[in-house]
Amino acid sequence: PRLAHGLERVLFSPGVHLLQDPNSRVYNFDPYIRGITQPDEFDFDKLTPYITSSKDLTLTEYARSRKKRFVGSTSSMTHILSHLYFAISGGKQPDISSLSMAFADQPARFTRGMRYPASIALRYRDGVYSIDADKSFDVKDSILSVLGKSLEKLLTSTPSEFEMYKKQNSWKVKEIPDENYHYVEAGEFVMRSQLDCRDDRLPRKTFDLKTRGSLAVRMDIQNHEVSKGYQIKTMKGRLQSFEREYYDMARSAFLKYNFQTRIGNMDGIFVAYHNTARMFGFQYISRREMDEVIFGNERTGNHAFKMILLLLGNLLRTVTDQYPKKDLRVTFDSFAPQQPQMWVEVIDDEKEAIALQQYQETGQFSTAATAATSTPAANASDADPFAGSDPLDSKATENDLSEDMSDMDVDPADDIYVNTEHPILHYTMDVFSTLNGQDTGEPVTLHDKSDTWTINWKLNKSTWQPDVAAERYKQLRLRQSTYFERAAPDTPDEELSPMVKILRRISRKAMARYRADLPSKRIVSPATIKILKKQQSEATPSQPPSHPQDPASKP
């Protein structure tokens, strides 16, 4: 697919492009894309369904024919690749020096969301292990993940085409197109990437679409009906700015986005900024730009990616040799980046399904999450949300979490299901770099073609007793489960973190004057009108049946 609504101009002009100029109120792109169709109005069944790696027979057959041991997709692999990057990077942080002075005293480290433990499910089938994302605790699609699907369709469809996918018209959609994939081999892997969009004028032709929800929505995801009042109004500044969104992406998303573009051999990412109710602007960020922010330059990024894939292949080969021909859950934890950890659990699907159903019905982890992460109400109103560490980060350490839980009558980790029929395996890894023959634990950047960077690593298997390993693994899984807990819409303000409290206040104030409908007068720039007319003349209008009738209404 290709971009619609005149959006292709963004690909070749750096920086943020506003949907509507705030001064003249002139639209730079088709006003149709300003308002966002809500999930209950869109027929998602008419979109191409997502297929996990383990169910992609084309992928596994290709790997088997090429004698490759592992297959995976961008969505299932990028989080664990990020943890391995943390292990080899020597603590390198994203470079945010290009941002304004508003962020000069803000942390540059990767966010808590990037660093929480990442799990994958290795599914064995006829000599090939498929890497699926582990969804044990992330059991519900958020508003952002749901809208991401419909917004991708919006950005690549004309208004008349998109209208067909709304529920009142979706019966007219006769065919669901096949997904477009790019496959790449690397070491023992065959990896799959979905190709979102194409423009032959770009160096690598294809690029990824990213729909980025605003800060208020991301921080208060359960309260998006109020958070949609939060507006992105300025280019620069701590809040309500495109710069804030870029700052958060650099720390929480660029590393995964970068790996995705590398697996798919894509040129970059097209970002659409929104608040779940309306669109604000667009930006194209090339892979080279992300390389400079994350790795320092493209050469360092290429080398780091190759080494991470080699390291992952060695690690997965080790665990599959321990439990051959079994389905495994492998968890990577870089809580202590100097000595990352890896855990291995044999999956029992039948018992796990029962445990998952109980979790979905009872939500037994919500109490634990509140106890472990709630902010003291005392002096909360006076707290400075910009003082010290960023609100996106958790100040709690693993010891703090254990101490909080020790005061409870019942350890919430006891409710975590773990398959102990086979011993839980635990490994630690010692890692350091060698740059031009010199060992170093510092961050590495390759500046010259003659620079050589190698990774030295050693995997250490723990000798804990099975019951000790299982107990510690439960604590890790509890930490995973509580990450997805968010404040409920009716949570009193005094129990909210200072940042969420401020964001709710901003959102509520804006909601008082928010209007979902488009203005009655929509002025569009001449350049946009020219592009839209050209697209309309090139589009082939769909022909309705001679007697249109919704099949569902037939007797």
Coordinates of all heavy atoms in Angstrom, one line a residue, residues 52 57 70 79 85 87 91 127 140 172 251 259 273 276 330 340 352 354 395 399 435 440 452 461 491:
T52 N 0.6 -15.4 13.9 CA 1.8 -15.6 14.7 C 2.8 -16.5 13.9 O 2.4 -17.2 13.0 CB 1.5 -16.3 16.1 OG1 0.9 -17.6 15.8 CG2 0.5 -15.4 16.9
L57 N 2.7 -21.2 8.2 CA 3.2 -22.4 7.6 C 4.3 -22.1 6.5 O 5.2 -22.8 6.3 CB 2.1 -23.3 7.1 CG 1.1 -23.8 8.1 CD1 0.0 -24.7 7.4 CD2 1.7 -24.5 9.2
F70 N 15.4 -21.5 13.8 CA 14.5 -20.6 14.5 C 13.8 -19.7 13.5 O 14.4 -19.3 12.5 CB 15.2 -19.8 15.5 CG 15.9 -20.6 16.6 CD1 17.3 -20.7 16.5 CD2 15.3 -21.3 17.6 CE1 18.0 -21.4 17.5 CE2 15.9 -22.0 18.5 CZ 17.3 -22.1 18.5
H79 N 11.6 -7.1 21.4 CA 11.8 -6.8 22.8 C 13.0 -7.6 23.4 O 13.8 -7.1 24.1 CB 10.5 -7.2 23.6 CG 10.5 -6.5 24.9 ND1 9.4 -6.5 25.8 CD2 11.4 -5.7 25.6 CE1 9.6 -5.9 26.9 NE2 10.8 -5.4 26.8
Y85 N 20.7 -6.0 23.5 CA 21.5 -4.8 23.2 C 21.9 -4.2 24.5 O 23.0 -3.7 24.7 CB 20.6 -3.8 22.4 CG 21.3 -2.5 22.2 CD1 22.4 -2.4 21.4 CD2 20.9 -1.4 22.9 CE1 23.1 -1.1 21.3 CE2 21.5 -0.2 22.8 CZ 22.6 0.0 22.0 OH 23.3 1.2 21.9
A87 N 22.6 -5.6 27.1 CA 23.7 -6.4 27.7 C 25.1 -6.1 27.0 O 26.1 -6.1 27.7 CB 23.4 -7.9 27.5
G91 N 25.8 0.2 28.7 CA 25.0 1.3 29.3 C 24.8 2.5 28.5 O 24.5 3.6 29.0
G127 N 11.3 -30.0 13.8 CA 12.6 -29.5 13.7 C 12.8 -28.0 13.7 O 14.0 -27.5 13.6
K140 N -5.2 -8.1 27.2 CA -6.2 -7.3 26.6 C -5.5 -6.3 25.7 O -4.6 -5.6 26.0 CB -7.0 -6.5 27.7 CG -7.9 -7.4 28.6 CD -8.6 -6.6 29.6 CE -9.5 -7.5 30.5 NZ -10.2 -6.7 31.5
K172 N -20.0 -4.5 2.1 CA -19.7 -4.3 0.7 C -18.3 -4.8 0.4 O -17.9 -5.0 -0.7 CB -19.8 -2.9 0.3 CG -21.2 -2.3 0.5 CD -21.1 -0.8 0.1 CE -22.5 -0.1 0.4 NZ -22.5 1.3 0.1
R251 N 13.4 7.2 23.9 CA 13.8 6.4 25.0 C 12.9 5.1 25.1 O 13.3 4.2 25.8 CB 13.6 7.2 26.3 CG 14.4 8.5 26.4 CD 14.1 9.4 27.5 NE 14.2 8.7 28.8 CZ 13.2 8.6 29.7 NH1 12.0 9.2 29.4 NH2 13.3 7.9 30.8
F259 N 15.2 -2.0 15.1 CA 15.3 -3.4 14.8 C 14.3 -3.9 13.8 O 14.5 -4.7 12.9 CB 15.2 -4.2 16.1 CG 16.4 -4.1 17.0 CD1 16.3 -4.3 18.3 CD2 17.6 -3.8 16.5 CE1 17.4 -4.2 19.2 CE2 18.8 -3.6 17.3 CZ 18.6 -3.8 18.7
Y273 N 0.9 11.3 14.8 CA 0.6 11.7 16.2 C -0.9 12.0 16.4 O -1.5 12.8 15.7 CB 1.4 13.0 16.5 CG 2.9 12.8 16.4 CD1 3.6 13.3 15.3 CD2 3.7 12.2 17.4 CE1 5.0 13.2 15.2 CE2 5.0 12.1 17.3 CZ 5.7 12.6 16.2 OH 7.1 12.5 16.1
T276 N -6.2 9.6 20.1 CA -7.3 8.6 20.0 C -8.6 9.3 19.4 O -9.5 8.6 19.0 CB -7.7 7.9 21.3 OG1 -8.3 8.7 22.2 CG2 -6.4 7.3 21.9
V330 N 11.0 -18.5 27.3 CA 12.3 -18.0 27.7 C 12.1 -16.5 28.0 O 11.6 -15.7 27.3 CB 13.3 -18.1 26.5 CG1 14.7 -17.7 26.9 CG2 13.3 -19.6 26.0
P340 N 23.0 -9.6 32.9 CA 21.6 -10.0 32.5 C 21.3 -11.4 32.8 O 22.2 -12.3 32.9 CB 21.6 -9.7 31.0 CG 23.1 -9.8 30.6 CD 23.8 -9.2 31.7
E352 N -1.9 -24.0 31.6 CA -1.7 -22.5 31.5 C -3.0 -21.9 31.0 O -3.3 -20.7 31.4 CB -0.6 -22.2 30.5 CG 0.0 -20.8 30.6 CD 1.4 -20.8 30.1 OE1 2.3 -21.4 30.6 OE2 1.6 -20.1 29.0
I354 N -6.0 -22.7 31.8 CA -6.8 -22.6 33.0 C -6.4 -21.4 33.9 O -7.2 -20.6 34.3 CB -6.8 -23.9 33.8 CG1 -7.4 -25.1 33.0 CG2 -7.5 -23.8 35.1 CD1 -7.2 -26.4 33.6
K395 N 11.0 4.0 40.3 CA 12.1 4.2 41.2 C 12.2 2.9 42.1 O 13.2 2.7 42.8 CB 11.8 5.4 42.1 CG 11.8 6.7 41.4 CD 11.6 7.8 42.4 CE 11.6 9.2 41.7 NZ 11.4 10.3 42.6
N399 N 14.6 -5.2 45.4 CA 14.6 -5.4 46.9 C 13.4 -4.6 47.5 O 12.7 -5.1 48.4 CB 15.9 -4.8 47.5 CG 17.0 -5.7 47.1 OD1 16.9 -6.9 46.9 ND2 18.2 -5.1 47.1
L435 N 37.3 -3.5 21.9 CA 37.4 -2.5 20.8 C 38.8 -2.3 20.4 O 39.6 -1.9 21.2 CB 36.7 -1.2 21.3 CG 36.8 0.0 20.3 CD1 36.0 -0.3 19.1 CD2 36.3 1.3 20.9
T440 N 36.9 -3.4 27.2 CA 36.2 -2.3 27.8 C 34.8 -2.6 28.2 O 34.1 -3.5 27.6 CB 36.1 -1.1 26.8 OG1 35.4 0.0 27.4 CG2 35.4 -1.5 25.5
T452 N 37.4 -2.4 15.0 CA 36.9 -3.7 15.2 C 36.2 -3.8 16.6 O 36.8 -3.4 17.6 CB 38.0 -4.8 15.1 OG1 39.0 -4.5 16.1 CG2 38.6 -4.7 13.7
K461 N 25.2 -21.2 34.4 CA 23.9 -21.9 34.8 C 23.9 -21.9 36.3 O 24.8 -22.4 37.0 CB 23.9 -23.3 34.2 CG 22.5 -24.0 34.5 CD 22.5 -25.4 33.8 CE 21.2 -26.1 34.0 NZ 21.2 -27.4 33.4
T491 N -9.8 6.3 39.8 CA -8.8 6.4 40.8 C -8.8 7.8 41.4 O -8.6 8.7 40.6 CB -7.4 6.0 40.3 OG1 -7.5 4.6 39.8 CG2 -6.4 6.1 41.4

